Amino acid sequence: MIILLVLGIFLITFLLRSSFILFLHQGEFPPAVRLTLGLVPAAVLSALVWPDVFSKSGIFSLEWEKVLAAVVGVVIAWRTRNVLYTVFFGMLTLWCLRVVGL
Amino acid sequence: MKVSGKVSNAKVSPFARGMLEFIPLLPAAIPFGLVVGVAQVKAGLTVLESVGMSALGYAGSAQLVASQMVQGGAPLLLILLAVATVNLRFAMYSAVLRERFREFSKVGRALNGFLLTDQTFALFVDKLEGIDPRARLGYTLGAGLSMYMVWQICTLLGALLGQTLPRAWSLDFAVTLTFVALGVPAVKDRPTLAAACAGGLAAVLTAGLPFKLGLMVGTGVGLVVGMIAMRVYKNSGTRAKHR
């Protein structure tokens, strides 16, 4: 079972990642597609982050320490463009708020 | 700036340069690898199976989702469906990068295809334009293989340490913060800001959907709203400040 799962994940992931790099690498995208592709990093990474921050249990049960820690992370990332500082100060905020008991 | 950079980098091979420039991204790989390693053994995988998953699957978010579903007793086909949804973003990354990788040999493109991750994608989008075309293949493989090695080591560590990593550390939130750090520089103007906000909001609202479809719905909404914003700001006059 697990070996089939591993092979399945390998195949699916490799085909998706190589799709345009390896297989469909010739030709040009139409201008509208190029413009849309420019938006991909912002759209995807944000769709990865927001659900982790605004908890799954609904708007009225937000974990505020996570929201504040994420805001700190955004500000640090914006000012420094540095992954280490972003993680460090974001986690520091989270832990401090938990200790204080917010 | 490009020229002055070349002098100091002249002694370093492109491969080594890729490895060096991956170092600032280490904090984006280490907690993620640990979290995934822990999740895989928690789902009931043996350490060996966990290693195989990381070595062949090599896709953090998908490994995480698959582990959760294995733990929940989901059938194989449904797990693979969820994996495909979560990893559809890689096809978009692939499309974004294809012109930059076009000159590589077939083997070079295949290796880059296998090694592509969120972290190296963010790095390449940011840095690859400024690098001599002849040095690019070595650079991408240096960065890609660094990420691969770090991933194997950290997921193995996570699998071995397992439950001894205290939950109170909230390592999973460190992973979220690394995506914040990778995503914030992607917001450069109003259309990308609109895409990020709309995409994030839509992903939150659809987070309950099965197979992690919320990620794709969020991305789609973000792209559409971003395109609309592009139209609006282009038509609304000359205030566009794109470089």
Side-chain angles (χ1 to χ4, degrees), chain B residues 204-215:
Chain B
V204 171
L205 295 177
T206 55
L209 290 179
F211 313 127
K212 292 278 167 183
L213 273 169
L215 177 59

Side-chain angles (χ1 to χ4, degrees), chain A residues 21-77:
Chain A
I21 297 176
L22 182 60
F23 301 114
L24 308 167
H25 68 293
Q26 294 300 340
E28 302 295 328
F29 290 116
V33 176
R34 282 163 164 272
L35 286 176
T36 312
L37 288 176
L39 298 168
V40 162
V44 173
L45 290 166
S46 161
L48 281 169
V49 166
W50 286 40
D52 289 351
V53 176
F54 303 100
S55 90
K56 296 106 192 163
S57 43
I59 302 287
F60 298 106
S61 52
L62 283 181
E63 295 175 80
W64 282 104
E65 74 274 19
K66 281 193 178 175
V67 177
L68 288 172
V71 169
V72 168
V74 168
V75 173
I76 302 276

Side-chain angles (χ1 to χ4, degrees), chain B residues 26-153:
Chain B
L26 279 178
I30 294 171
F32 202 6
L34 290 172
V35 167
V36 168
V38 172
Q40 287 180 163
V41 289
K42 205 171 138 209
L45 272 68
T46 64
V47 172
L48 189 66
E49 287 166 341
S50 173
V51 167
M53 184 85 110
S54 292
L56 285 175
Y58 189 48
S61 314
Q63 286 175 244
L64 212 48
V65 170
S67 306
Q68 287 159 357
M69 291 180 80
V70 167
Q71 200 173 7
L76 179 65
L77 276 179
L78 291 191
I79 302 180
L80 291 179
L81 200 60
V83 164
T85 329
V86 172
N87 281 349
L88 261 182
R89 71 186 190 288
F90 285 127
M92 294 188 224
Y93 293 173
S94 192
V96 172
L97 290 173
R98 84 165 172 175
E99 282 170 37
R100 283 168 247 214
F101 287 0
R102 187 167 285 161
E103 305 306 319
F104 298 174
S105 65
K106 194 161 202 172
V107 175
R109 282 184 283 121
L111 280 172
N112 264 300
F114 177 67
L115 293 173
L116 184 60
T117 59
D118 297 291
Q119 289 78 9
T120 50
F121 172 69
L123 179 71
F124 297 159
V125 165
D126 194 27
K127 295 277 170 66
L128 213 54
E129 305 264 85
I131 289 170
D132 182 349
R134 281 165 306 169
R136 284 183 190 172
L137 180 58
Y139 178 87
T140 53
L141 293 181
L145 284 172
S146 303
M147 175 69 202
Y148 188 78
M149 292 316 297
V150 171
W151 188 252
Q152 305 312 319
I153 294 166

Side-chain angles (χ1 to χ4, degrees), chain B residues 163-178:
Chain B
Q163 318 299 45
T164 61
L165 287 171
R167 276 192 63 78
W169 289 4
S170 300
L171 269 180
D172 49 345
F173 196 72
V175 177
T176 308
L177 285 167
T178 68

Side-chain angles (χ1 to χ4, degrees), chain A residues 76-96:
Chain A
I76 302 276
W78 177 42
R79 304 309 304 187
T80 68
R81 309 261 144 145
N82 182 306
V83 181
L84 182 60
Y85 296 159
T86 306
V87 174
F88 179 80
F89 287 106
M91 292 309 284
L92 196 64
T93 308
L94 183 73
W95 290 329
C96 287

